[in-house]
């Protein structure tokens, strides 16, 4: 029987976007149906495979997208969101393949589901781009999304603290405004996709918070002070308001985690 780690590694080493989506969804399905063994016998790559496009640029060299009012601006924003979801596929499967051996199968249950969700999100956004006559890879994208994974490759608490509890939580804050922008110009189809993504991301942040807190409890660590220390160590950006407090609270990420770190 194929090991869970091998299935995760396959996803990470698949470069072409549509093939990665297929591999991710197949791995999530195979785990759910009991076709993968909870075994961790292969190492995860230092970096996932990447397609030839998009061109990856440092964040400070990315062209300005505007606010999505014009069709060109909407395409640029959808492309940026698709790139985030594409990277999120790898982040989920790397988390399972790299750290899953230290946890019970319930950990894999959560994060394989997350990986499958991210693959669906990417596929929906890429399909939407094609409706505009373009596709993922036609615009540049920034190359900073794997930094959090690289920095926390040996620290599962650090990974949980930064990826779901900072990066995905930020999506809870900004996605409602983005939905409003698309709705305001009559792009109901994109707004519906983003609404689905927002609802799924609440579950993803909740999984991250739950596993972070249970791991802290097992190690006799205080969750909130530990989270703040890890964010300070591994996250180079700022924790910025405004916050979607209700969505964060639904995900278990209460205000006493992040308010003291807020910039502005």
């Amino acid at each position: 029987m194929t090991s869970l780690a091998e299935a995760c590694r396959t996803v990470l080493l698949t470069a072409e976007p549509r093939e990665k989506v297929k591999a991710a969804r197949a791995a999530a399905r195979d785990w759910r149906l009991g076709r993968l063994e909870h075994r961790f016998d292969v190492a995860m790559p230092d970096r996932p495979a990447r397609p030839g496009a998009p061109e990856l640029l440092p964040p400070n060299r990315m062209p300005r997208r505007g606010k999505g009012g014009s069709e060109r601006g909407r395409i640029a924003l959808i492309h940026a969101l698709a790139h985030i979801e594409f990277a999120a596929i790898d982040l989920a499967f790397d988390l399972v393949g790299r750290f899953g051996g230290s946890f019970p199968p319930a950990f894999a249950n959560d994060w394989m589901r997350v990986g499958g969700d991210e693959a669906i999100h990417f596929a929906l956004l890429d399909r939407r781009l094609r409706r505009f006559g373009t596709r993922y890879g036609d615009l540049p994208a920034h190359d900073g999304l794997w930094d959090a994974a690289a920095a926390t490759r040996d620290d599962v608490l650090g990974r949980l603290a930064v990826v779901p509890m900072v990066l995905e939580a930020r999506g809870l804050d900004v996605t409602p405004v983005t939905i409003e922008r698309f709705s305001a110009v009559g792009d109901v189809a994109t707004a519906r996709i983003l609404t689905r993504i927002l609802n799924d991301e609440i579950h993803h942040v909740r999984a991250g918070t739950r596993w972070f807190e249970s791991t802290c409890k097992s190690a006799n660590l205080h969750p909130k002070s530990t989270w703040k220390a890890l964010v300070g160590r591994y996250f180079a950006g700022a924790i910025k308001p405004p916050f979607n407090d209700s969505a964060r609270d639904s995900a278990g990420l209460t205000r006493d985690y992040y308010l003291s770190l807020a910039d502005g």
Side-chain angles (χ1 to χ4, degrees), residues 7-187:
C8 292
R9 182 179 172 86
T10 296
V11 175
L12 289 161
L13 293 180
T14 301
E16 198 279 323
R18 289 191 167 187
E19 292 304 312
K20 187 182 287 286
V21 167
K22 289 179 184 178
R25 297 188 70 182
R29 180 176 62 250
D30 286 347
W31 172 252
R32 188 177 68 251
L33 295 177
R35 297 172 180 165
L36 300 175
E37 187 174 349
H38 192 257
R39 192 174 75 250
F40 298 86
D41 51 349
V42 295
M44 296 303 103
D46 290 337
R47 291 185 67 86
R50 284 288 177 259
E55 179 187 9
L56 298 179
L57 301 174
N60 61 3
R61 287 186 53 205
M62 284 293 296
R64 295 180 64 84
R65 292 194 304 266
K67 297 186 179 296
S70 66
E71 181 174 301
R72 181 179 178 181
R74 296 202 306 278
I75 289 171
L77 183 50
I78 296 169
H79 191 279
L81 295 170
H83 182 62
I84 291 170
E85 298 297 334
F86 187 73
I89 299 171
D90 290 323
L91 288 169
F93 286 97
D94 184 77
L95 178 62
V96 176
R98 187 174 298 272
F99 300 113
S102 301
F103 292 89
F107 182 85
N109 292 347
D110 280 339
W111 297 108
M112 293 297 282
R113 175 187 171 184
V114 170
D117 286 348
E118 307 293 17
I120 293 170
H121 297 168
F122 171 79
L124 290 171
L125 291 167
D126 186 45
R127 186 184 307 161
R128 188 67 185 141
L129 286 171
R130 290 170 189 268
R131 292 293 183 117
F132 283 106
T134 185
R135 63 179 180 176
Y136 175 67
D138 285 350
L139 297 173
H142 74 80
D143 193 25
L145 293 173
W146 191 251
D147 291 350
T152 58
R153 60 185 176 271
D154 299 317
D155 187 345
V156 67
L157 271 176
R159 179 72 62 88
L160 292 169
V162 172
V163 175
M165 297 176 72
V166 173
L167 299 179
E168 292 206 70
R170 185 59 180 160
L172 303 184
D173 302 332
V174 302
T175 303
V177 175
T178 308
I179 292 169
E180 291 176 4
R181 288 175 181 167
F182 280 100
S183 297
V185 296
D187 190 345

Side-chain angles (χ1 to χ4, degrees), residues 165-166 170 173 224 227-229 231-232 235-245 248 253-264:
M165 297 176 72
V166 173
R170 185 59 180 160
D173 302 332
K224 295 175 178 64
W227 181 80
K228 291 170 185 175
V231 171
F235 184 64
I239 309 295
K240 297 180 180 179
F243 300 112
N244 186 346
D245 291 324
R248 284 170 171 255
L253 190 61
T254 52
R255 290 162 62 92
D256 47 351
Y257 269 104
Y258 55 86
L259 279 188
S260 65
L261 294 184
D263 181 10

